[in-house]
Amino acid sequence: MNNEDYGYDYDYLFKIVLIGDSGVGKSNLLSRFTTNEFNMESKSTIGVEFATRTIEVEGKKIKAQIWDTAGQERYRAITSAYYRGAVGALIVYDISKSSSYENCNHWLTELRENADENVAVGLIGNKSDLGHLRAVPTDEAKNFAQENQLLFTETSALNSENVDQAFRELITAIYQMVSKHQVDMNEYGNNAGQVPKGPTISLTPAPAKKSKSSNNCC
Amino acid sequence: MATTFDDMLQASDIVLGISSHLSTTDYLNFRQINKEVYYNHLKKTVDDQIWANKLRRLGLKYMESTSEKLILTEINAANVLQELTSYTVENAKTVYAQLYRLLQPFVQKLYKKELSGFFPNEYSDALSHARILMNLATYIPIEIADYSRYKKIRENLDIFRELFINTVVKEMDLGYENRNYDCVTEFVAVLSECGQINTAADFFKSKNDFSVEVQLPESILNADSSDVDSDCLQAALDTTKAFLNSKIVLADKIFGESFPVTLNYIENIIANNLTDFFDSQLTSSHGLLSASIKFMPLLYINIKNSLIDGLIDSQNAGPRFKNILTEFFNLYLEPKILSYLEVNVQLFAAKVQEEFVSFQNETALKEQQQNEQIYNSLRSKVSDQQLLDEKNNFLSSFTKIFKISNNSVSQEEEQLQMSYNLNVMNNNLHNIEMLVSLDLCYKVVQLCKTHIEDMRTFLDIQNLKDEVKLRCQETFKLLISGLSRDHFKPGFDKAIAVLEQYDPNQMKNLHIELENLNSHVEPLIKFTEIINTGDIVLQMISIFYKNELVQIDIVDKNQDFLNDIVQVKKNFETMIDDYVANGLNIGINKLMDEVLFVFGSLQLPTDYNPDPSLLGSREIKPSKAAYKNVELLLNHCFLLTGATDKGTIDIFQQEIGERFFNEIVKNIKKNLISGDGAIFLICDLNYYYDFIANRLKQKNIVPLFAGLKTVGQLYLVSGSDSKELGKMICDLGRFQGVFTQEEIYEMVQRRSDWVKVRRDVEKVMYGLGVSDCTII
């Protein structure tokens, strides 16, 4: 039986969105993380692109379904569709372009408005390879992240620096939150417990089938 | 009143008139008839004028002053007219007296016909005799006034001269027979002096008759006339060469440089002997294809190389000897060369025709054999299967077999017929590449080259230059028209017919397949091979035209727009282009049929409208239909690369892209798309976009696919955002201007929640106070 078609090859599926100004390197961050590729001539994204990668956190297989969005989307209906169901987000700016950093506030606001309140957020200062052109001091960004309870990493999709780490940190954070959430839910005596309910449920549930089988195992 | 003779002598005019009719002796007497005549009418000045007139008539030149050398001791009858060349009025009588003194004795003898001992002893050699005779011939007419006397003298001179020449020829013959060539040379000079150099030349000719001395072979062709026997040809040319060389030496010895004989002598041999010989060799004919005239170039080249170039130099003929000989050959062989040129063109046409016809026949035969083979294989396969089926039926139920057995036989027949048709179709498709043969094209182009090269042997002949060019052009035109009419046209017609018949969906229904036939054939791939051949042949023709016609000046490059040869070439190119376009169009149709088939068979309703409970198990990746279709396009879009020009490839790829786009739109309209399914649709649309933008790289059609990506987002929007959805539909700029509002509206109706959002969307769209929405 083919696992991909009929079963599940993961324990958790997290939807993560990449947001930030046009041109800060979201698509290349994604391709670096999922396929270890970098395209020097990549054009600005039209609509939305998807990619997935499964990593292991604390012995669990976690599949990250990452949405790479166009930086210049104007319609709220669409951005809200992007954020719908997202449990994590990376707000990306370009360290050599201060306007892209300044806009992070806007992106954060939009995210908070549209996404689940528990969404895990990371701030990414991309293009760290352009140190000589740096326009955004690391400390300033770090402070901003702390104030807003964001993870923070400076990365370079070009030379791979910290890319994996940034995604892993975010995914780990989500995982920790989810497992805690589950415990909470269990405490409230919800059955099976792994399928969160309610309109603002932010976590794509691990499928019932799988959970049953894992329950049986446990 | 009576007029006496004396009275008449009173008138000067009459006296002068009489004087002009008198011979020299009579005039001298008449002048002394009386004092008046002597001192008055014919006084010294008049008399001087009369002598001067005579000298003038003899061709002497008038001079104003007295020449110094009036009397020269060496003057004699043989050279008098050569020595005395001028006169003055004063000395005219004296000069004339000298002539008279030296020549009149001979005239006297001629008059009296005293021909024996005609020349006094002081003139002992034949050359002097000849000169005296020549001088007499000039001198005698001066006395024509006394006509009867003149006539007699003249007749006797002619008789005597003939006698003299005969004697000279006889003596010369004697000398020639004794190989005393010095003696012969002397007599040649005598004959020349008498204006009889032709007699000498005729003498030489009669003594050196080619047909007597040289025996040429009956035929220089092989027994079956299929080829030239080169040894035999060489021998014939060697014999001729040896003969001519010996005569060149002899003529130089006898005639030296002074009396040109050799050229005329050899021209005669070329005209009368050699031309006849070669003509007879080239006339033996057993039908066009074996007409021996095709050996004309070979003969001509051999004549030049083995004969003319092998001749020694001739003093007598001068430095341009060999050039002149070549011109003679060109002149005398011209009629044969002309008919060769004509036959050669016909021959090429016949050969090309034969090649193409036999190719068509072979192809037809091969096809027939293959069809028979298919039929037989199917036949045996079907019977086996039928047996097996019947056995199964038998085992399963007795009643059943009785019920269906009759029916089943006819069903099997039907099945067999259909399988046969499909397998034949499939096989035909396989054979498309064989409908036009590159080998055959190469062969006829090569043949054309040989024929043109052969004709170019005669390009240097000034008279024939234009004719040769014309014939070469004609041959090239025949090549093109043969290729186009007898090969490419039938080939492409068949190929296109096969393409048109081919139905990929029907092929998939093929129940009985033969193992040795590849069941899945891409019609376009096969068609591309024939396009490729066409392209190579066009390039071959282009190079051929440049190298064989333009470079060698068969066609004037600067005037080629006037030349119908260019037109013919262009027509051929246009024909192939049209076929290619036509075939590609059909091929694209077939490809789109397959695309449609893929959408119809592989695009499941759940692809874009998944069961929410199964959502978690689905990878976000393109659907099977998307993979398959992109693979199909990938297999076809680059087929033409290298097979034809960039422009055609662009049009081809863009056409495929555009039509694929239309199929995608249709496919969207055919499916229901849910909010959850939107990401899968977007994933497919992204995949299509990626193929067009990054693989196909046809910029013109990228916006179409970018537009599709944006369309995908319409399905992502939550149903609760229906008002903004309506706004988006009106925002045409958002869709790259690819779609009209109606089209977007049509597509958005494929939302699975359309019934719920419809009211809000239409409210926004149909302008209920929404300013940024306009419908025209």
Side-chain angles (χ1 to χ4, degrees):
Chain A
M1 200 153 97
N2 189 331
N3 214 20
E4 277 192 28
D5 287 343
Y6 300 102
Y8 305 103
D9 52 351
Y10 56 83
D11 299 303
Y12 293 93
L13 177 66
F14 295 160
K15 173 176 171 181
I16 295 166
V17 290
L18 286 176
I19 53 179
D21 277 8
S22 194
V24 296
K26 297 184 289 296
S27 295
N28 271 320
L29 272 173
L30 179 59
S31 65
R32 178 61 80 195
F33 177 62
T34 54
T35 55
N36 200 21
E37 283 169 339
F38 183 90
N39 182 5
M40 208 49 114
E41 286 142 32
S42 80
K43 298 184 186 100
S44 66
T45 304
I46 302 168
V48 55
E49 307 261 357
F50 316 101
T52 57
R53 184 174 159 188
T54 305
I55 61 168
E56 228 167 272
V57 177
E58 294 174 16
K60 299 283 182 191
K61 280 191 181 137
I62 298 178
K63 186 165 192 168
Q65 180 193 96
I66 305 155
W67 291 41
D68 171 26
T69 64
Q72 69 275 52
E73 182 52 57
R74 290 184 289 124
Y75 283 93
R76 193 201 47 79
I78 289 180
T79 46
S80 78
Y82 290 163
Y83 297 125
R84 189 168 64 225
V87 291
L90 290 175
I91 300 174
V92 186
Y93 69 90
D94 175 351
I95 64 146
S96 67
K97 202 172 168 197
S98 55
S99 65
S100 72
Y101 171 69
E102 283 148 21
N103 279 337
C104 286
N105 235 329
H106 153 77
W107 287 110
L108 189 59
T109 315
E110 191 178 270
L111 179 67
R112 299 270 191 235
E113 275 169 14
N114 288 286
D116 186 273
E117 58 182 305
N118 292 323
V119 66
V121 187
L123 180 67
I124 303 282
N126 193 33
K127 308 197 185 177
S128 64
D129 50 286
L130 297 180
H132 55 294
L133 299 173
R134 178 182 287 280
V136 182
T138 311
D139 286 345
E140 191 185 328
K142 200 180 269 176
N143 287 337
F144 174 76
Q146 262 168 11
E147 279 164 25
N148 293 284
Q149 290 177 301
L150 312 176
L151 298 165
F152 173 71
T153 322
E154 282 191 351
T155 61
S156 164
L158 178 75
N159 63 24
S160 302
E161 190 188 6
N162 287 341
V163 174
D164 239 48
Q165 190 198 323
F167 278 97
R168 272 178 192 283
E169 275 175 11
L170 182 73
I171 291 166
T172 307
I174 300 167
Y175 173 74
Q176 283 162 356
M177 206 179 321
V178 168
S179 41
K180 179 169 166 274
H181 197 74
Q182 270 174 11
V183 174
D184 293 347
M185 301 267 237
N186 286 342
E187 278 172 3
Y188 287 113
N190 275 350
N191 69 337
Q194 282 166 317
V195 183
K197 295 251 160 93
T200 58
I201 293 299
S202 56
L203 307 174
T204 304
K209 228 194 225 171
K210 172 75 183 181
S211 57
K212 267 176 200 155
S213 67
S214 56
N215 274 353
N216 292 342
C217 285
C218 296
Chain B
M1 198 175 73
T3 314
T4 67
F5 184 61
D6 284 345
D7 290 338
M8 286 195 293
L9 292 181
Q10 301 293 316
S12 275
D13 285 352
I14 293 176
V15 170
L16 283 174
I18 292 170
S19 304
S20 69
H21 283 89
L22 295 176
S23 69
T24 306
T25 7
D26 289 344
Y27 170 74
L28 288 171
N29 291 334
F30 175 64
R31 195 185 171 216
Q32 292 179 354
I33 197 165
N34 61 33
K35 283 186 181 167
E36 187 167 2
V37 169
Y38 188 84
Y39 288 112
N40 203 0
H41 302 307
L42 295 175
K43 59 184 176 207
K44 179 139 190 321
T45 52
V46 178
D47 184 49
D48 285 346
Q49 204 56 55
I50 284 174
W51 298 114
N53 281 344
K54 284 182 192 282
L55 292 176
R56 184 169 50 79
R57 277 161 57 206
L58 277 172
L60 274 68
K61 255 211 231 129
Y62 169 75
M63 309 273 267
E64 288 289 341
S65 57
T66 319
S67 164
E68 307 264 314
K69 48 160 197 174
L70 252 184
I71 299 167
L72 295 163
T73 46
E74 65 263 32
I75 287 183
N76 58 37
N79 69 6
V80 61
L81 277 172
Q82 286 68 43
E83 293 297 333
L84 298 179
T85 54
S86 62
Y87 65 93
T88 62
V89 177
E90 288 75 29
N91 74 3
K93 191 172 181 178
T94 327
V95 171
Y96 192 79
Q98 293 215 34
L99 277 168
Y100 192 80
R101 179 177 59 83
L102 288 168
L103 295 175
Q104 197 60 25
F106 295 103
V107 175
Q108 210 57 34
K109 281 182 191 169
L110 284 172
Y111 182 64
K112 292 182 190 154
K113 216 174 181 178
E114 291 172 4
L115 299 181
S116 58
F118 186 77
F119 297 108
N121 285 342
E122 69 251 43
Y123 305 110
S124 59
D125 61 312
L127 196 60
S128 300
H129 298 170
R131 284 177 182 159
I132 289 168
L133 288 175
M134 290 307 287
N135 282 345
L136 285 173
T138 316
Y139 173 75
I140 285 167
I142 210 76
E143 297 282 278
I144 200 167
D146 190 351
Y147 189 72
S148 60
R149 183 184 154 88
Y150 159 77
K151 194 170 171 244
K152 196 175 168 191
I153 294 167
R154 178 83 221 192
E155 278 169 9
N156 288 342
L157 174 68
D158 288 347
I159 292 166
F160 184 68
R161 214 161 68 121
E162 208 153 300
L163 266 170
F164 174 77
I165 287 166
N166 282 343
T167 314
V168 169
V169 172
K170 242 179 252 166
E171 293 286 325
M172 188 165 74
D173 195 3
L174 209 63
Y176 185 86
E177 293 304 326
N178 293 330
R179 298 180 180 257
N180 183 357
Y181 296 124
D182 290 343
C183 157
V184 176
T185 306
E186 269 175 47
F187 286 118
V188 166
V190 172
L191 285 175
S192 165
E193 196 60 45
C194 297
Q196 294 292 318
I197 193 66
N198 284 346
T199 310
D202 286 348
F203 170 80
F204 183 79
K205 207 182 294 169
S206 70
K207 287 291 167 192
N208 300 285
D209 189 342
F210 181 83
S211 61
V212 172
E213 290 185 38
V214 177
Q215 191 64 44
L216 290 176
E218 186 90 345
S219 171
I220 51 162
L221 301 180
N222 283 340
D224 60 353
S225 298
S226 63
D227 210 344
V228 170
D229 179 341
S230 53
D231 291 345
C232 189
L233 171 63
Q234 195 59 47
L237 294 173
D238 284 348
T239 317
T240 308
K241 181 178 69 185
F243 171 82
L244 293 179
N245 276 340
S246 72
K247 299 310 167 190
I248 290 166
V249 173
L250 187 60
D252 277 356
K253 206 175 277 173
I254 294 172
F255 298 99
E257 289 176 45
S258 329
F259 313 110
V261 166
T262 304
L263 279 178
N264 183 263
Y265 170 71
I266 297 183
E267 181 183 359
N268 256 294
I269 292 173
I270 293 171
N272 298 328
N273 306 99
L274 295 177
T275 306
D276 280 357
F277 171 69
F278 291 125
D279 277 5
S280 73
Q281 300 305 319
L282 293 172
T283 311
S284 63
S285 166
H286 313 274
L288 179 64
L289 285 173
S290 54
S292 61
I293 194 153
K294 67 184 167 209
F295 302 124
M296 185 75 229
L298 176 76
L299 275 190
Y300 184 80
I301 289 168
N302 271 290
I303 288 171
K304 278 187 97 167
N305 296 345
S306 296
L307 181 58
I308 299 177
D309 288 353
L311 292 179
I312 56 173
D313 288 337
S314 163
Q315 272 179 292
N316 187 271
R320 287 198 66 242
F321 175 51
K322 286 179 190 177
N323 292 340
I324 295 169
L325 276 199
T326 307
E327 282 163 25
F328 285 151
F329 271 111
N330 292 346
L331 182 69
Y332 289 101
L333 291 176
E334 187 177 303
K336 269 288 158 203
I337 297 175
L338 282 174
S339 64
Y340 156 75
L341 291 173
E342 192 187 337
V343 169
N344 188 50
V345 175
Q346 293 169 358
L347 201 57
F348 174 72
K351 281 188 200 165
V352 168
Q353 177 85 17
E354 195 186 74
E355 290 287 352
F356 286 138
V357 166
S358 77
F359 176 82
Q360 294 296 346
N361 292 342
E362 273 169 37
T363 312
L365 187 68
K366 224 181 280 167
E367 191 184 323
Q368 196 195 337
Q369 284 168 348
Q370 282 176 344
N371 289 354
E372 268 167 35
Q373 202 190 334
I374 289 171
Y375 183 80
N376 292 334
S377 317
L378 281 173
R379 180 43 93 188
S380 62
K381 201 163 182 175
V382 165
S383 355
D384 290 349
Q385 206 167 39
Q386 198 176 323
L387 278 178
L388 201 71
D389 286 351
E390 283 178 5
K391 195 177 158 202
N392 289 340
N393 285 342
F394 179 78
L395 290 175
S396 62
S397 151
F398 285 106
T399 48
K400 205 175 171 192
I401 188 171
F402 286 120
K403 255 190 228 163
I404 66 159
S405 65
N406 275 341
N407 213 1
S408 139
V409 169
S410 74
Q411 245 177 5
E412 292 292 355
E413 276 303 319
E414 237 171 67
Q415 184 75 60
L416 175 67
Q417 186 59 43
M418 197 181 95
S419 292
Y420 172 73
N421 290 344
L422 293 176
N423 274 296
V424 165
M425 190 203 290
N426 199 15
N427 188 47
N428 283 344
L429 209 51
H430 262 292
N431 289 341
I432 277 188
E433 60 191 312
M434 262 118 65
L435 292 174
V436 171
S437 160
L438 185 58
D439 283 349
L440 180 61
C441 294
Y442 180 73
K443 193 172 167 190
V444 294
V445 168
Q446 211 49 39
L447 192 66
C448 181
K449 188 174 146 107
T450 314
H451 274 255
I452 286 182
E453 270 170 0
D454 280 352
M455 293 197 282
R456 286 212 321 256
T457 310
F458 306 106
L459 193 59
D460 290 338
I461 302 177
Q462 202 55 42
N463 269 353
L464 296 177
K465 208 179 205 76
D466 289 344
E467 183 70 14
V468 170
K469 285 184 186 180
L470 225 61
R471 293 297 184 185
C472 288
Q473 291 174 10
E474 212 177 318
T475 306
F476 181 75
K477 279 188 270 180
L478 281 171
L479 168 72
I480 305 286
S481 63
L483 278 172
S484 118
R485 187 191 56 227
D486 298 330
H487 196 53
F488 275 90
K489 191 173 184 314
F492 267 110
D493 278 341
K494 180 90 194 274
I496 284 175
V498 169
L499 260 187
E500 233 158 15
Q501 271 174 15
Y502 180 80
D503 179 350
N505 300 335
Q506 217 182 341
M507 282 325 269
K508 285 167 188 125
N509 294 331
L510 186 55
H511 291 299
I512 309 172
E513 272 180 26
L514 295 175
E515 291 83 357
N516 55 344
L517 289 176
N518 179 359
S519 64
H520 193 63
V521 180
E522 303 287 1
L524 256 179
I525 293 179
K526 287 290 156 186
F527 191 73
T528 318
E529 282 164 29
I530 194 170
I531 292 177
N532 205 1
T533 308
D535 194 58
I536 294 172
V537 171
L538 282 182
Q539 285 181 30
M540 211 151 71
I541 295 289
S542 249
I543 293 169
F544 186 86
Y545 176 77
K546 231 185 274 165
N547 291 357
E548 304 295 319
L549 299 178
V550 174
Q551 241 169 45
I552 303 166
D553 206 26
I554 298 287
V555 171
D556 186 348
K557 196 174 60 186
N558 301 322
Q559 289 199 315
D560 64 2
F561 64 97
L562 294 171
N563 205 318
D564 60 343
I565 203 168
V566 176
Q567 199 49 52
V568 169
K569 191 166 142 272
K570 267 202 188 112
N571 289 345
F572 181 48
E573 288 162 359
T574 311
M575 186 195 84
I576 292 198
D577 285 352
D578 287 350
Y579 272 120
V580 167
N582 196 1
L584 288 182
N585 193 32
I586 295 169
I588 294 174
N589 287 342
K590 301 291 168 186
L591 178 61
M592 286 306 138
D593 287 349
E594 294 229 39
V595 166
L596 200 61
F597 183 83
V598 168
F599 277 139
S601 57
L602 294 183
Q603 191 85 76
L604 304 177
T606 50
D607 280 352
Y608 302 148
N609 189 15
D611 178 346
S613 68
L614 298 174
L615 212 53
S617 65
R618 252 181 87 176
E619 280 286 332
I620 301 187
K621 63 176 187 186
S623 63
K624 272 188 186 157
Y627 275 130
K628 182 69 194 166
N629 271 335
V630 168
E631 185 194 327
L632 254 180
L633 298 194
L634 202 57
N635 285 342
H636 286 88
C637 283
F638 302 99
L639 285 177
L640 292 179
T641 310
T644 186
D645 58 301
K646 174 102 175 37
T648 308
I649 293 172
D650 285 348
I651 292 171
F652 174 68
Q653 293 184 340
Q654 287 172 18
E655 174 74 13
I656 290 182
E658 262 173 57
R659 293 189 47 183
F660 182 52
F661 164 81
N662 288 330
E663 292 302 333
I664 296 170
V665 171
K666 275 192 234 159
N667 186 50
I668 291 176
K669 289 179 188 169
K670 223 170 61 188
N671 279 281
L672 272 185
I673 300 128
S674 65
D676 289 336
I679 52 173
F680 300 105
L681 172 66
I682 291 173
C683 211
D684 280 0
L685 298 176
N686 285 350
Y687 189 57
Y688 300 142
Y689 175 89
D690 193 52
F691 170 73
I692 298 292
N694 301 325
R695 298 297 294 271
L696 204 59
K697 294 184 177 152
Q698 284 294 348
K699 282 193 182 131
N700 289 355
I701 54 171
V702 169
L704 298 180
F705 290 84
L708 278 177
K709 277 183 126 183
T710 341
V711 165
Q713 293 177 310
L714 292 176
Y715 305 99
L716 202 57
V717 171
S718 156
S720 55
D721 286 324
S722 51
K723 280 186 185 143
E724 213 179 22
L725 186 63
K727 264 194 228 165
M728 283 165 67
I729 296 170
C730 297
D731 185 1
L732 292 182
R734 192 175 163 75
F735 305 97
Q736 315 270 331
V738 169
F739 300 100
T740 63
Q741 188 161 11
E742 282 74 15
E743 284 169 315
I744 303 283
Y745 178 59
E746 246 183 284
M747 283 188 279
V748 86
Q749 292 177 36
R750 303 312 298 166
R751 285 178 61 106
S752 57
D753 62 354
W754 174 241
V755 192
K756 288 179 209 153
V757 297
R758 178 177 182 170
R759 232 183 114 236
D760 283 342
V761 169
E762 288 185 348
K763 215 186 250 175
V764 176
M765 275 181 72
Y766 297 127
L768 296 177
V770 179
S771 58
D772 56 351
C773 167
T774 48
I775 298 179
I776 299 151

